[in-house]
Amino acid sequence: MSFSDHLDNFIKQREQFGHQPNRMQKRNSYAVVDATDQSKAREAMAKEQEHATLRAEQETKQYHQRIRGRCVLPSEAQAQQRQNETRPADPARIAYIQQLKKDLKLKKYSTE
């Protein structure tokens, strides 16, 4: 049986039984899933945080910012920002830590 005969048989079978979807097409199709309880709760919390910001501004007549889900005044936000600032790295401490790492590597290779 030649290749052309084989191809003709294949085409006849495909026409007779109809074209079936490829396995890759099935695998890549996505099912539409309803929102889960967790996603609904997440959306509700986000909406409530937005409303809380607006309520805080209306009650105090001052602008509020949201930081990690909390409504704070700009002065409070600046205080938190100052508190979170990091110190510059101490070069002596960095050199000390690198020396400790080298010592540990030497000990590790000398015991093996």
Side-chain angles (χ1 to χ4, degrees):
M1 178 186 274
S2 69
F3 179 74
S4 61
D5 292 336
H6 177 70
L7 190 59
D8 289 337
N9 287 339
F10 177 77
I11 292 172
K12 285 178 188 176
Q13 287 177 356
R14 189 173 68 180
E15 288 172 356
Q16 186 179 16
F17 296 111
H19 178 68
Q20 300 201 355
N22 204 358
R23 291 180 96 186
M24 289 301 289
Q25 289 173 343
K26 273 188 177 179
R27 193 176 301 153
N28 290 338
S29 65
Y30 297 102
V32 177
V33 179
D34 292 335
T36 62
D37 290 339
Q38 186 177 13
S39 64
K40 288 178 186 176
R42 212 178 286 127
E43 288 175 16
M45 284 178 59
K47 284 181 185 176
E48 190 55 38
Q49 286 176 347
E50 290 293 328
H51 293 302
T53 304
L54 295 174
R55 277 195 310 268
E57 287 178 11
Q58 290 171 355
E59 290 171 3
T60 61
K61 305 287 188 220
Q62 292 182 6
Y63 174 74
H64 281 69
Q65 292 177 313
R66 267 192 35 215
I67 298 179
R68 295 188 197 100
R70 287 189 56 231
C71 299
V72 294
L73 293 170
S75 59
E76 291 177 273
Q78 287 177 349
Q80 283 185 357
Q81 200 172 30
R82 269 188 255 118
Q83 194 175 24
N84 292 337
E85 289 177 357
T86 57
R87 297 183 294 170
D90 183 16
R93 183 168 170 79
I94 293 173
Y96 175 70
I97 291 170
Q98 288 175 343
Q99 184 61 42
L100 287 176
K101 286 181 181 178
K102 286 179 188 176
D103 292 344
L104 285 174
K105 280 184 184 178
L106 289 174
K107 284 184 180 180
K108 180 180 175 184
Y109 289 122
S110 65
T111 58
E112 291 178 354

